[in-house]
């Protein structure tokens, strides 16, 4: 039996597994996951690594990898990896592999530049400088493409693989799509200007962006100018064509009639751009002749003067009292030529309007309407006089600021609408109750006009009349 136990088994007999049962037995219920992980750690399983660590490891060993693995590394390249990978590619000593990697690098860079967004445009200068550096090093070995055009070795590459052309088309596309957004056009202009100054792109890219900017100036409403005044002023200071286009746009608007309240917004916009350094009033255009004054002024000053002259001469006093205040008067005071010429037309209207109101009194028009006309005249006169935009001659001023008994004076017109006064016409006696509503406001206006146009003595006389 011992011999039979030690003798080999014959073919076809079942083999005994008693000797290996303990070695290859499956894990029992008592074995746990923690023991399995402990044995795995004991065997030395590799730790997990992040994607950034893999990219850094690949870039570190790129010079020691086969060509197909190098290509995979460069294909994963982003703008942030480009400087490091470019340095590693330039260290490749094999001319065939180095030429292949440089071509792959250019293709990948062209792909990145063809999809770049507005917020990444600032990276384009560094990217093209990397391509130029790589090409210049490769040209020493006569096996690379020039950054401005294909060489004899690289003519077989497609045009879409050229980083410069890809960026030129991308900037043009962004500018064309963002023709209604001055912020997008500003980013494209800054990038194109910088690249052209370094000789990295052709002038046509810069010209295309400037053309889109000019289209924005021509088509955008002035309300959009107000919202984007900061970007508009910055671009106008950097680009002469932009400044000239802005001036032409304001000239076109100033030559059209203004509705109620629009003149104030127009003046506020010009003052805002002036405060940001954009000298529109002195304009890029040469001075031209102003026939009424026989003087030469910049075109925009003449357009503003003509608009103010038309308004003061033709519009009713209700419009003048509402429009000529705040930014409008500040704009007319911004240049000596504007102030001097507006003083003439404003003084003429102040004096002539008093004659118009006097005629209404003599015609015995509605007395409450006369009071309203006086208040509107006083509001306009006080506004322009407080800014020094009224210059009335001494005889006319003496006539205007005369006592109530002097026919044609401001005090006479106020007395004609004052219940119980000696100057009130008999036809107004039946309207005395209605005249009491605004009589106090009328005489307070008279006092303010005396203080604005007269001296201290005349102002004290007006205060005596009020008492």
């Amino acid at each position: 039996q011992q011999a039979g136990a030690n003798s080999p088994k014959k073919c076809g007999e079942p083999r005994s597994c008693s000797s290996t049962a303990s070695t290859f037995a499956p894990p029992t219920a008592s074995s746990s996951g923690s023991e399995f992980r402990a044995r795995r750690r004991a065997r030395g399983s590799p730790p997990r690594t992040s994607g950034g660590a893999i990219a850094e490891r690949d870039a570190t060993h790129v010079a020691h990898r086969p060509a197909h693995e190098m290509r995979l590394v460069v294909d994963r390249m982003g703008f942030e990896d480009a400087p490091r990978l470019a340095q590693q590619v330039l260290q490749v000593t094999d001319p065939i592999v180095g030429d292949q990697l440089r071509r792959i690098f250019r293709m990948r860079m062209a792909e990145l530049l063809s999809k770049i967004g507005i917020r990444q445009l600032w990276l384009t200068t560094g990217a093209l400088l990397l391509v130029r550096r790589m090409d210049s090093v490769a040209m020493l070995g006569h096996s690379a493409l020039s950054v401005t055009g294909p060489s004899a070795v690289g003519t077989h590459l497609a045009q879409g693989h050229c980083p410069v052309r890809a960026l030129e088309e991308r900037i043009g596309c962004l500018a064309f799509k963002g023709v209604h957004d001055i912020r997008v056009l500003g980013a494209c202009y800054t990038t194109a200007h910088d690249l052209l100054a370094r000789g990295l792109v052709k002038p046509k890219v810069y010209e295309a962006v400037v053309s889109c900017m000019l289209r924005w100036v021509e088509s955008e409403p002035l309300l959009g100018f107000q919202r984007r005044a900061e970007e508009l002023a910055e671009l106008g200071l950097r680009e002469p064509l932009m400044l000239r286009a802005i001036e032409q746009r304001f000239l076109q608007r100033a030559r059209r009639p203004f509705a109620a309240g629009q003149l104030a917004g127009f003046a506020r916009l010009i003052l805002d751009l002036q405060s940001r350094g954009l000298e529109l009033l002195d304009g890029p255009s040469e001075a031209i002749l102003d026939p009424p004054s026989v003087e030469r002024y910049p075109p925009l000053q003449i357009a503003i003067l003509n608009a103010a002259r038309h308004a003061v001469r033709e519009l009713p006093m209700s419009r003048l009292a509402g429009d000529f205040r705040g930014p409008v008067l500040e704009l007319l005071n911004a240049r000596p030529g504007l102030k001097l010429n507006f003083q003439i037309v404003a003084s003429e209207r102040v004096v002539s309007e008093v004659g118009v109101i006097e005629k209404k009194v003599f015609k015995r028009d509605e007395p409450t309407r006369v009071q309203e006309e006086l208040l509107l005249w006083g509001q306009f006169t006080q506004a322009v006089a407080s800014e020094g935009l009224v210059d009335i001659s001494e005889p006319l001023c003496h006539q205007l600021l005369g006592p109530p008994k002097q026919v044609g004076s401001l005090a006479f017109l106020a007395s004609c609408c004052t219940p119980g006064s000696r100057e009130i016409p008999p036809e107004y006696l039946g309207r005395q109750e209605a005249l009491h509503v605004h009589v106090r406001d009328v005489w307070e206006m008279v006092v303010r006009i005396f203080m604005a146009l007269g001296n201290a003595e005349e102002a004290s006389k007006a205060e005596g009349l009020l008492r």
Side-chain angles (χ1 to χ4, degrees):
Q1 291 179 357
Q2 292 180 358
N6 295 330
S7 63
K9 297 293 182 179
K10 294 182 181 180
C11 183
E13 294 183 2
R15 187 183 299 272
S16 174
C17 298
S18 59
S19 59
T20 60
S22 61
T23 305
F24 298 99
T28 60
S30 60
S31 61
S32 61
S34 59
E35 296 176 358
F36 176 75
R37 288 193 294 269
R39 290 197 300 270
R40 184 175 181 180
R41 286 195 297 269
R43 291 197 300 268
S45 59
R48 297 181 179 178
T49 55
S50 62
I54 294 175
E56 184 177 0
R57 181 187 62 196
D58 293 344
T60 305
H61 302 287
V62 67
H64 307 287
R65 288 189 171 211
H68 66 280
E69 296 190 15
M70 296 179 186
R71 180 172 181 174
L72 293 176
V73 173
V74 178
D75 282 343
R76 291 199 299 262
M77 177 184 67
F79 280 114
E80 64 279 1
D81 304 322
R84 184 176 66 251
L85 284 175
Q87 185 67 25
Q88 295 294 332
V89 169
L90 290 175
Q91 293 177 0
V92 175
T93 57
D94 190 339
I96 298 177
V97 176
D99 182 71
Q100 181 186 13
L101 286 178
R102 283 187 291 270
R103 293 169 188 270
I104 298 172
F105 185 89
R106 288 175 61 87
M107 293 170 60
R108 175 59 177 168
M109 190 60 69
E111 181 183 358
L112 292 175
L113 292 175
S114 66
K115 301 177 182 179
I116 195 169
I118 290 295
R119 297 184 179 182
Q120 291 182 312
L121 282 178
W122 64 275
L123 297 171
T124 55
T125 302
L128 289 189
L129 288 176
L130 278 178
V131 177
R132 168 177 281 187
R133 177 188 174 193
M134 187 170 293
D135 288 347
S136 62
V137 172
M139 284 298 293
L140 298 177
H142 307 284
S143 61
L145 296 174
S146 172
V147 73
T148 58
S151 66
V153 178
T155 53
H156 65 280
L157 280 182
Q159 293 182 353
H161 297 161
C162 178
V164 176
R165 179 162 300 188
L167 180 59
E168 289 176 349
E169 294 179 354
R170 183 58 177 169
I171 293 177
C173 180
L174 290 174
F176 181 78
K177 291 183 177 179
V179 70
H180 300 295
D181 192 345
I182 193 62
R183 294 173 296 179
V184 175
L185 295 176
C188 294
Y189 175 81
T190 301
T191 303
H193 185 274
D194 188 19
L195 294 174
L196 182 62
R198 296 174 181 267
L200 296 176
V201 295
K202 297 179 181 179
K204 64 179 183 181
V205 181
Y206 178 82
E207 296 170 359
V209 175
V210 173
S211 176
C212 291
M213 291 165 51
L214 299 182
R215 285 178 55 193
W216 184 89
V217 174
E218 295 172 358
S219 60
E220 186 71 13
L222 289 184
L223 184 60
F225 281 32
Q226 186 69 40
R227 289 196 299 262
R228 300 300 175 194
E230 183 177 357
E231 294 85 353
L232 188 64
E234 181 181 356
L235 293 176
L237 292 173
R238 298 179 60 184
E239 178 54 46
L241 293 178
M242 189 74 169
L243 178 59
R244 189 174 295 273
I246 296 172
E247 182 194 35
Q248 291 299 320
R249 181 66 190 280
F250 278 102
L251 284 174
Q252 294 174 5
R253 182 61 191 92
R255 291 165 182 164
R256 299 199 305 268
F258 290 92
Q262 289 185 350
L263 185 59
F266 181 77
R268 187 181 299 107
L269 177 57
I270 293 179
L271 292 173
D272 190 10
L273 295 176
Q274 287 278 137
S275 65
R276 298 178 187 275
L278 199 62
E279 296 293 339
L280 290 174
L281 291 177
D282 301 324
S285 302
E286 296 182 357
I288 59 177
L289 180 65
D290 177 39
S293 62
V294 199
E295 295 287 345
R296 289 187 174 273
Y297 299 108
L300 186 56
Q301 291 191 29
I302 294 180
I304 294 172
L305 267 177
N306 290 334
R309 288 166 176 162
H310 173 78
V312 171
R313 289 171 179 167
E314 303 296 334
L315 295 181
M317 193 55 65
S318 58
R319 279 284 306 276
L320 297 182
D323 288 350
F324 283 82
R325 60 173 67 186
V328 176
L329 300 181
E330 184 180 353
L331 177 62
L332 293 171
N333 250 328
R335 293 293 182 273
L338 290 174
K339 180 178 181 180
L340 178 62
N341 287 277
F342 183 76
Q343 273 183 343
I344 298 173
V345 65
S347 302
E348 292 176 355
R349 181 63 189 271
V350 167
V351 175
S352 64
E353 190 67 20
V354 174
V356 172
I357 299 175
E358 183 183 5
K359 290 181 180 180
K360 290 184 178 181
V361 172
F362 291 158
K363 291 180 179 180
R364 302 303 188 254
D365 284 357
E366 173 62 29
T368 55
R369 180 60 183 168
V370 174
Q371 284 183 334
E372 293 177 2
E373 292 290 337
L374 279 173
L375 291 175
L376 291 174
W377 174 88
Q379 186 178 351
F380 170 74
T381 304
Q382 183 184 359
V384 294
S386 62
E387 297 292 336
L389 296 174
V390 173
D391 187 13
I392 304 177
S393 63
E394 186 66 26
L396 292 177
C397 189
H398 182 73
Q399 169 71 19
L400 182 63
L401 302 181
K405 63 182 180 180
Q406 184 175 348
V407 178
S409 66
L410 181 60
F412 170 79
L413 297 178
S415 297
C416 290
C417 300
T418 301
S421 66
R422 297 178 181 179
E423 291 77 14
I424 186 170
E427 291 82 1
Y428 289 173
L429 294 177
R431 301 286 295 165
Q432 294 190 60
E433 184 177 354
L435 292 175
H436 274 292
V437 176
H438 294 294
V439 64
R440 182 76 181 180
D441 298 334
V442 170
W443 282 103
E444 288 178 353
M445 178 271 297
V446 172
V447 173
R448 291 194 297 267
I449 296 300
F450 270 67
M451 297 177 65
L453 300 180
N455 50 32
E457 182 180 357
E458 292 170 337
S460 62
K461 290 181 181 180
E463 291 178 356
L465 293 175
L466 182 62
R467 289 193 294 269

mmCIF file with all atom_site columns, all heavy atoms in Angstrom, residues 22 27 31 128 132 175 244 247 279 292 318 404 408 410 417:
data_model
loop_
_atom_site.group_PDB
_atom_site.id
_atom_site.type_symbol
_atom_site.label_atom_id
_atom_site.label_alt_id
_atom_site.label_comp_id
_atom_site.label_asym_id
_atom_site.label_entity_id
_atom_site.label_seq_id
_atom_site.pdbx_PDB_ins_code
_atom_site.Cartn_x
_atom_site.Cartn_y
_atom_site.Cartn_z
_atom_site.occupancy
_atom_site.B_iso_or_equiv
_atom_site.pdbx_formal_charge
_atom_site.auth_seq_id
_atom_site.auth_comp_id
_atom_site.auth_asym_id
_atom_site.auth_atom_id
_atom_site.pdbx_PDB_model_num
ATOM 1   N N   . SER A 1 22  ? -4.560  23.465  0.263   1.00 0.00 ? 22  SER A N   1
ATOM 2   C CA  . SER A 1 22  ? -4.331  24.577  1.190   1.00 0.00 ? 22  SER A CA  1
ATOM 3   C C   . SER A 1 22  ? -3.718  25.778  0.499   1.00 0.00 ? 22  SER A C   1
ATOM 4   O O   . SER A 1 22  ? -3.903  26.902  0.925   1.00 0.00 ? 22  SER A O   1
ATOM 5   C CB  . SER A 1 22  ? -3.436  24.107  2.337   1.00 0.00 ? 22  SER A CB  1
ATOM 6   O OG  . SER A 1 22  ? -2.190  23.675  1.806   1.00 0.00 ? 22  SER A OG  1
ATOM 7   N N   . PRO A 1 27  ? -10.728 32.319  -1.021  1.00 0.00 ? 27  PRO A N   1
ATOM 8   C CA  . PRO A 1 27  ? -10.823 33.029  0.263   1.00 0.00 ? 27  PRO A CA  1
ATOM 9   C C   . PRO A 1 27  ? -12.118 32.699  0.978   1.00 0.00 ? 27  PRO A C   1
ATOM 10  O O   . PRO A 1 27  ? -13.166 32.582  0.357   1.00 0.00 ? 27  PRO A O   1
ATOM 11  C CB  . PRO A 1 27  ? -10.785 34.498  -0.135  1.00 0.00 ? 27  PRO A CB  1
ATOM 12  C CG  . PRO A 1 27  ? -11.197 34.522  -1.561  1.00 0.00 ? 27  PRO A CG  1
ATOM 13  C CD  . PRO A 1 27  ? -10.733 33.236  -2.144  1.00 0.00 ? 27  PRO A CD  1
ATOM 14  N N   . SER A 1 31  ? -11.938 36.196  5.442   1.00 0.00 ? 31  SER A N   1
ATOM 15  C CA  . SER A 1 31  ? -11.030 37.173  4.815   1.00 0.00 ? 31  SER A CA  1
ATOM 16  C C   . SER A 1 31  ? -11.823 38.432  4.495   1.00 0.00 ? 31  SER A C   1
ATOM 17  O O   . SER A 1 31  ? -12.943 38.375  4.043   1.00 0.00 ? 31  SER A O   1
ATOM 18  C CB  . SER A 1 31  ? -10.427 36.589  3.530   1.00 0.00 ? 31  SER A CB  1
ATOM 19  O OG  . SER A 1 31  ? -11.437 36.292  2.608   1.00 0.00 ? 31  SER A OG  1
ATOM 20  N N   . LEU A 1 128 ? 2.710   83.211  -30.641 1.00 0.00 ? 128 LEU A N   1
ATOM 21  C CA  . LEU A 1 128 ? 3.382   83.412  -31.920 1.00 0.00 ? 128 LEU A CA  1
ATOM 22  C C   . LEU A 1 128 ? 4.879   83.644  -31.748 1.00 0.00 ? 128 LEU A C   1
ATOM 23  O O   . LEU A 1 128 ? 5.676   83.263  -32.620 1.00 0.00 ? 128 LEU A O   1
ATOM 24  C CB  . LEU A 1 128 ? 2.753   84.591  -32.653 1.00 0.00 ? 128 LEU A CB  1
ATOM 25  C CG  . LEU A 1 128 ? 1.352   84.360  -33.214 1.00 0.00 ? 128 LEU A CG  1
ATOM 26  C CD1 . LEU A 1 128 ? 0.935   85.523  -34.092 1.00 0.00 ? 128 LEU A CD1 1
ATOM 27  C CD2 . LEU A 1 128 ? 1.274   83.061  -34.007 1.00 0.00 ? 128 LEU A CD2 1
ATOM 28  N N   . ARG A 1 132 ? 7.770   81.574  -33.606 1.00 0.00 ? 132 ARG A N   1
ATOM 29  C CA  . ARG A 1 132 ? 8.889   82.241  -34.288 1.00 0.00 ? 132 ARG A CA  1
ATOM 30  C C   . ARG A 1 132 ? 10.225  81.740  -33.761 1.00 0.00 ? 132 ARG A C   1
ATOM 31  O O   . ARG A 1 132 ? 11.157  81.505  -34.535 1.00 0.00 ? 132 ARG A O   1
ATOM 32  C CB  . ARG A 1 132 ? 8.774   83.751  -34.098 1.00 0.00 ? 132 ARG A CB  1
ATOM 33  C CG  . ARG A 1 132 ? 10.020  84.504  -34.504 1.00 0.00 ? 132 ARG A CG  1
ATOM 34  C CD  . ARG A 1 132 ? 9.858   85.992  -34.366 1.00 0.00 ? 132 ARG A CD  1
ATOM 35  N NE  . ARG A 1 132 ? 9.104   86.543  -35.477 1.00 0.00 ? 132 ARG A NE  1
ATOM 36  C CZ  . ARG A 1 132 ? 8.927   87.852  -35.669 1.00 0.00 ? 132 ARG A CZ  1
ATOM 37  N NH1 . ARG A 1 132 ? 9.427   88.714  -34.805 1.00 0.00 ? 132 ARG A NH1 1
ATOM 38  N NH2 . ARG A 1 132 ? 8.248   88.282  -36.710 1.00 0.00 ? 132 ARG A NH2 1
ATOM 39  N N   . ALA A 1 175 ? -13.962 90.044  -34.557 1.00 0.00 ? 175 ALA A N   1
ATOM 40  C CA  . ALA A 1 175 ? -14.316 91.446  -34.789 1.00 0.00 ? 175 ALA A CA  1
ATOM 41  C C   . ALA A 1 175 ? -15.606 91.563  -35.595 1.00 0.00 ? 175 ALA A C   1
ATOM 42  O O   . ALA A 1 175 ? -16.448 92.427  -35.315 1.00 0.00 ? 175 ALA A O   1
ATOM 43  C CB  . ALA A 1 175 ? -13.172 92.162  -35.500 1.00 0.00 ? 175 ALA A CB  1
ATOM 44  N N   . ARG A 1 244 ? -11.613 110.678 -35.500 1.00 0.00 ? 244 ARG A N   1
ATOM 45  C CA  . ARG A 1 244 ? -12.239 111.417 -36.592 1.00 0.00 ? 244 ARG A CA  1
ATOM 46  C C   . ARG A 1 244 ? -13.672 110.921 -36.842 1.00 0.00 ? 244 ARG A C   1
ATOM 47  O O   . ARG A 1 244 ? -14.585 111.719 -37.114 1.00 0.00 ? 244 ARG A O   1
ATOM 48  C CB  . ARG A 1 244 ? -11.397 111.282 -37.852 1.00 0.00 ? 244 ARG A CB  1
ATOM 49  C CG  . ARG A 1 244 ? -11.840 112.174 -39.001 1.00 0.00 ? 244 ARG A CG  1
ATOM 50  C CD  . ARG A 1 244 ? -10.860 112.063 -40.151 1.00 0.00 ? 244 ARG A CD  1
ATOM 51  N NE  . ARG A 1 244 ? -9.566  112.580 -39.779 1.00 0.00 ? 244 ARG A NE  1
ATOM 52  C CZ  . ARG A 1 244 ? -9.218  113.855 -39.881 1.00 0.00 ? 244 ARG A CZ  1
ATOM 53  N NH1 . ARG A 1 244 ? -10.100 114.738 -40.338 1.00 0.00 ? 244 ARG A NH1 1
ATOM 54  N NH2 . ARG A 1 244 ? -8.022  114.254 -39.527 1.00 0.00 ? 244 ARG A NH2 1
ATOM 55  N N   . GLU A 1 247 ? -15.927 112.336 -34.138 1.00 0.00 ? 247 GLU A N   1
ATOM 56  C CA  . GLU A 1 247 ? -16.217 113.744 -34.415 1.00 0.00 ? 247 GLU A CA  1
ATOM 57  C C   . GLU A 1 247 ? -17.280 113.882 -35.504 1.00 0.00 ? 247 GLU A C   1
ATOM 58  O O   . GLU A 1 247 ? -18.222 114.685 -35.371 1.00 0.00 ? 247 GLU A O   1
ATOM 59  C CB  . GLU A 1 247 ? -14.941 114.457 -34.837 1.00 0.00 ? 247 GLU A CB  1
ATOM 60  C CG  . GLU A 1 247 ? -15.139 115.935 -35.105 1.00 0.00 ? 247 GLU A CG  1
ATOM 61  C CD  . GLU A 1 247 ? -13.958 116.548 -35.840 1.00 0.00 ? 247 GLU A CD  1
ATOM 62  O OE1 . GLU A 1 247 ? -13.343 115.856 -36.684 1.00 0.00 ? 247 GLU A OE1 1
ATOM 63  O OE2 . GLU A 1 247 ? -13.659 117.719 -35.573 1.00 0.00 ? 247 GLU A OE2 1
ATOM 64  N N   . GLU A 1 279 ? -10.428 115.047 -26.789 1.00 0.00 ? 279 GLU A N   1
ATOM 65  C CA  . GLU A 1 279 ? -10.645 116.452 -27.120 1.00 0.00 ? 279 GLU A CA  1
ATOM 66  C C   . GLU A 1 279 ? -11.477 116.573 -28.394 1.00 0.00 ? 279 GLU A C   1
ATOM 67  O O   . GLU A 1 279 ? -10.946 116.810 -29.483 1.00 0.00 ? 279 GLU A O   1
ATOM 68  C CB  . GLU A 1 279 ? -9.303  117.177 -27.265 1.00 0.00 ? 279 GLU A CB  1
ATOM 69  C CG  . GLU A 1 279 ? -8.476  117.245 -25.995 1.00 0.00 ? 279 GLU A CG  1
ATOM 70  C CD  . GLU A 1 279 ? -9.133  118.109 -24.926 1.00 0.00 ? 279 GLU A CD  1
ATOM 71  O OE1 . GLU A 1 279 ? -9.988  118.947 -25.288 1.00 0.00 ? 279 GLU A OE1 1
ATOM 72  O OE2 . GLU A 1 279 ? -8.796  117.944 -23.747 1.00 0.00 ? 279 GLU A OE2 1
ATOM 73  N N   . PRO A 1 292 ? -21.465 133.936 -39.050 1.00 0.00 ? 292 PRO A N   1
ATOM 74  C CA  . PRO A 1 292 ? -22.018 134.986 -38.177 1.00 0.00 ? 292 PRO A CA  1
ATOM 75  C C   . PRO A 1 292 ? -20.959 135.748 -37.395 1.00 0.00 ? 292 PRO A C   1
ATOM 76  O O   . PRO A 1 292 ? -21.106 136.960 -37.174 1.00 0.00 ? 292 PRO A O   1
ATOM 77  C CB  . PRO A 1 292 ? -22.948 134.202 -37.238 1.00 0.00 ? 292 PRO A CB  1
ATOM 78  C CG  . PRO A 1 292 ? -23.330 132.991 -38.013 1.00 0.00 ? 292 PRO A CG  1
ATOM 79  C CD  . PRO A 1 292 ? -22.101 132.627 -38.786 1.00 0.00 ? 292 PRO A CD  1
ATOM 80  N N   . SER A 1 318 ? -40.718 128.171 -23.017 1.00 0.00 ? 318 SER A N   1
ATOM 81  C CA  . SER A 1 318 ? -40.890 126.973 -22.181 1.00 0.00 ? 318 SER A CA  1
ATOM 82  C C   . SER A 1 318 ? -39.804 125.933 -22.488 1.00 0.00 ? 318 SER A C   1
ATOM 83  O O   . SER A 1 318 ? -39.306 125.252 -21.580 1.00 0.00 ? 318 SER A O   1
ATOM 84  C CB  . SER A 1 318 ? -42.281 126.387 -22.397 1.00 0.00 ? 318 SER A CB  1
ATOM 85  O OG  . SER A 1 318 ? -42.491 126.072 -23.773 1.00 0.00 ? 318 SER A OG  1
ATOM 86  N N   . PRO A 1 404 ? -41.329 150.347 -11.132 1.00 0.00 ? 404 PRO A N   1
ATOM 87  C CA  . PRO A 1 404 ? -42.633 149.914 -11.675 1.00 0.00 ? 404 PRO A CA  1
ATOM 88  C C   . PRO A 1 404 ? -43.330 150.965 -12.525 1.00 0.00 ? 404 PRO A C   1
ATOM 89  O O   . PRO A 1 404 ? -44.075 150.628 -13.452 1.00 0.00 ? 404 PRO A O   1
ATOM 90  C CB  . PRO A 1 404 ? -43.444 149.581 -10.427 1.00 0.00 ? 404 PRO A CB  1
ATOM 91  C CG  . PRO A 1 404 ? -42.433 149.262 -9.392  1.00 0.00 ? 404 PRO A CG  1
ATOM 92  C CD  . PRO A 1 404 ? -41.262 150.153 -9.673  1.00 0.00 ? 404 PRO A CD  1
ATOM 93  N N   . GLY A 1 408 ? -42.302 149.286 -19.643 1.00 0.00 ? 408 GLY A N   1
ATOM 94  C CA  . GLY A 1 408 ? -41.353 148.401 -20.320 1.00 0.00 ? 408 GLY A CA  1
ATOM 95  C C   . GLY A 1 408 ? -40.355 147.745 -19.396 1.00 0.00 ? 408 GLY A C   1
ATOM 96  O O   . GLY A 1 408 ? -39.610 146.848 -19.820 1.00 0.00 ? 408 GLY A O   1
ATOM 97  N N   . LEU A 1 410 ? -39.084 145.440 -16.079 1.00 0.00 ? 410 LEU A N   1
ATOM 98  C CA  . LEU A 1 410 ? -39.515 144.158 -15.522 1.00 0.00 ? 410 LEU A CA  1
ATOM 99  C C   . LEU A 1 410 ? -40.467 144.369 -14.360 1.00 0.00 ? 410 LEU A C   1
ATOM 100 O O   . LEU A 1 410 ? -41.461 143.640 -14.209 1.00 0.00 ? 410 LEU A O   1
ATOM 101 C CB  . LEU A 1 410 ? -38.287 143.354 -15.088 1.00 0.00 ? 410 LEU A CB  1
ATOM 102 C CG  . LEU A 1 410 ? -38.536 141.974 -14.491 1.00 0.00 ? 410 LEU A CG  1
ATOM 103 C CD1 . LEU A 1 410 ? -39.265 141.080 -15.491 1.00 0.00 ? 410 LEU A CD1 1
ATOM 104 C CD2 . LEU A 1 410 ? -37.212 141.327 -14.067 1.00 0.00 ? 410 LEU A CD2 1
ATOM 105 N N   . CYS A 1 417 ? -49.531 142.488 -13.263 1.00 0.00 ? 417 CYS A N   1
ATOM 106 C CA  . CYS A 1 417 ? -50.152 141.205 -12.906 1.00 0.00 ? 417 CYS A CA  1
ATOM 107 C C   . CYS A 1 417 ? -50.266 141.034 -11.397 1.00 0.00 ? 417 CYS A C   1
ATOM 108 O O   . CYS A 1 417 ? -50.451 139.916 -10.908 1.00 0.00 ? 417 CYS A O   1
ATOM 109 C CB  . CYS A 1 417 ? -49.346 140.054 -13.494 1.00 0.00 ? 417 CYS A CB  1
ATOM 110 S SG  . CYS A 1 417 ? -49.216 140.086 -15.280 1.00 0.00 ? 417 CYS A SG  1
#
